Amino acid sequence: MTVVEADRSPSLVETRLGGRFRLDERINVGDQISGTCGASWEAGGLSLWKATDELLGRPVTIYLLPAGRPVSPDLVAAVLAAAKVSDPRLATIYDTDLSADRPYIVSEWATGMHLEDLVLSGLPTPALAAAMIADAADALAVAHQAGRPHLRLTPRSLRWDSTGLKITGLGLDAALCGSRPDEDPMLADTRALARMLYALLTGCWPGEEATALPPAPRYKGRVCTPRQVRAGVPALLDAITYQALRGHAPDAPTRPLTPAALARALHGVRRPSLRLVDPPELAGTELAGTGLAGTGLAGTGLAGTGLAGTGLAGTGLAGTGLAESADGLDPIRRPGHAAWPWAERVQALPRESVSRRRARHARARGGLLHHTTLLRSAV
């Protein structure tokens, strides 16, 4: 986070707000929020500070509002609503003083890298990107359930460090900017999450907002899918991202897009992994030599259905017309099911060659077995 030189006037340095909050460093507002709103903040007299709560001995963020001006009712309502939402992934409002002489808002100090810096420093794996946004979607689902949307979710609103995720500016940034979404608040927040997932997968920004990331490539006016931009993005994750960008729920296009729906879909993304299996475990099983023993699918009724090992069991996506291949890269069309409207030009994969089948059986006999594991986000 960029810190600008603090104003050393006695009124700001020697005085402690509320008798306990010591202003330490002034923060560049552009590091807190993307777009033009940061400049309008400072032009309007608002400043952002890193401060110390001397009573509790912890760092805090101070939104120092212009003195002598009445605080807007929208900002008061946003602060009161945000303070009622409790989730460790959402920056907490600690204290406020909205009196006219020196109004301020005290919020939790969020450490770590925001999404822009994270993407510019190097892309995570697709599996990790899915887990990161799934965690953010879970947190926003809690906020929406409490009736408090974010309304101005930008790449700089999400921060990660060794302890996990932190989302800043819940309702507060939108109230300070005076911005209102043109669409349903729940849809607006979820599509913003989809744009961030796209950025983590490709390194490009698919939205119209001004960010530090390069714009996503487009073809005939439409943003290219993640797989068209970066090789190695699993087909299922590509489909979830593209569906959410268009404003449709990943599990069913007819359902409304919500943070909870996006989180469920991303929690259902599975990634291939390798596990060493003792060869005697395969002896005497019905699935010996099939590559399915020990995967958790034995006895589920999925063996031989074409879905075993695809990572779709129990995700709500089985039988929808889109399944993921064993290598996690190419989609296949399920017989008897129409393709989803956003899954364009999906082609069936060729049959597995004899040589590939022999190699797979040889790996199983040698004790190396391919199976899938469910990716869970770290909280």
Side-chain angles (χ1 to χ4, degrees):
M1 176 174 287
T2 303
V3 176
V4 299
E5 185 176 354
D7 183 349
R8 294 299 174 182
S9 63
S11 61
L12 288 181
V13 176
E14 297 178 4
T15 302
R16 280 150 175 77
L17 300 176
R20 61 184 284 190
F21 302 111
R22 185 187 70 242
L23 302 180
D24 296 327
E25 300 168 329
R26 186 170 177 176
I27 303 166
N28 186 343
V29 178
D31 271 343
Q32 184 72 15
I33 186 168
S34 304
T36 59
C37 183
S40 65
W41 271 11
E42 293 182 315
L46 181 141
S47 59
L48 198 61
W49 294 77
K50 180 181 180 181
T52 299
D53 182 348
E54 295 184 325
L55 182 62
L56 298 178
R58 63 184 177 187
V60 294
T61 302
I62 299 285
Y63 295 81
L64 193 58
L65 306 177
R69 300 183 192 176
V71 179
S72 70
D74 288 344
L75 180 57
V76 174
V79 171
L80 293 177
K84 296 176 182 178
V85 181
S86 179
D87 189 279
R89 296 162 294 190
L90 301 171
T92 305
I93 302 294
Y94 289 144
D95 196 5
T96 60
D97 184 349
L98 302 181
S99 58
D101 57 343
R102 180 171 291 172
Y104 62 87
I105 302 167
V106 184
S107 177
E108 180 180 356
W109 174 256
T111 60
M113 298 177 65
H114 56 63
L115 186 139
E116 281 185 358
D117 285 346
L118 188 65
V119 169
L120 292 174
S121 65
L123 296 181
T125 63
L128 180 56
M132 293 164 71
I133 299 302
D135 202 21
D138 275 332
L140 282 182
V142 172
H144 279 270
Q145 188 174 12
R148 178 67 272 176
H150 193 289
L151 301 179
R152 191 173 175 83
L153 201 60
T154 74
R156 299 190 180 187
S157 304
L158 272 62
R159 292 181 175 273
W160 287 273
D161 62 10
S162 59
T163 63
L165 167 74
K166 190 69 68 176
I167 300 177
T168 62
L170 180 68
L172 188 59
D173 287 350
L176 288 168
C177 290
S179 59
R180 298 178 182 272
D182 297 330
E183 52 195 357
D184 176 74
M186 189 172 290
L187 178 61
D189 280 354
T190 317
R191 292 186 70 178
L193 287 172
R195 291 192 288 271
M196 295 184 201
L197 176 58
Y198 188 102
L200 288 170
L201 292 173
T202 66
C204 302
W205 185 249
E208 303 295 335
E209 305 90 341
T211 70
L213 305 178
R218 295 174 179 265
Y219 179 71
K220 293 184 177 180
R222 178 176 293 182
V223 173
C224 296
T225 69
R227 279 168 63 89
Q228 293 172 325
V229 179
R230 179 189 178 192
V233 177
L236 182 59
L237 188 52
D238 177 83
I240 290 172
T241 307
Y242 185 56
Q243 178 78 332
L245 283 174
R246 296 184 62 184
H248 301 296
D251 55 349
T254 58
R255 295 179 187 170
L257 179 64
T258 65
L262 181 60
R264 283 194 302 270
L266 292 176
H267 281 309
V269 173
R270 298 171 184 255
R271 56 191 173 99
S273 63
L274 292 173
R275 178 169 69 97
L276 288 176
V277 178
D278 190 2
E281 291 182 35
L282 301 176
T285 66
E286 296 180 1
L287 298 175
T290 65
L292 294 176
T295 63
L297 293 173
T300 62
L302 292 175
T305 64
L307 290 177
T310 63
L312 293 175
T315 64
L317 295 172
T320 58
L322 187 74
E324 193 178 18
S325 65
D327 60 7
L329 297 179
D330 293 301
I332 60 174
R333 187 188 297 275
R334 294 280 299 138
H337 295 276
W340 288 3
W342 45 270
E344 300 174 0
R345 297 186 298 278
V346 178
Q347 298 179 353
L349 291 176
R351 279 183 168 275
E352 185 183 36
S353 64
V354 175
S355 60
R356 288 186 63 186
R357 288 201 301 273
R358 288 175 177 171
R360 177 163 54 80
H361 290 305
R363 287 197 300 272
R365 289 193 300 271
L368 188 63
L369 182 64
H370 180 277
H371 75 120
T372 58
T373 57
L374 182 61
L375 174 65
R376 292 294 186 188
S377 61
V379 178

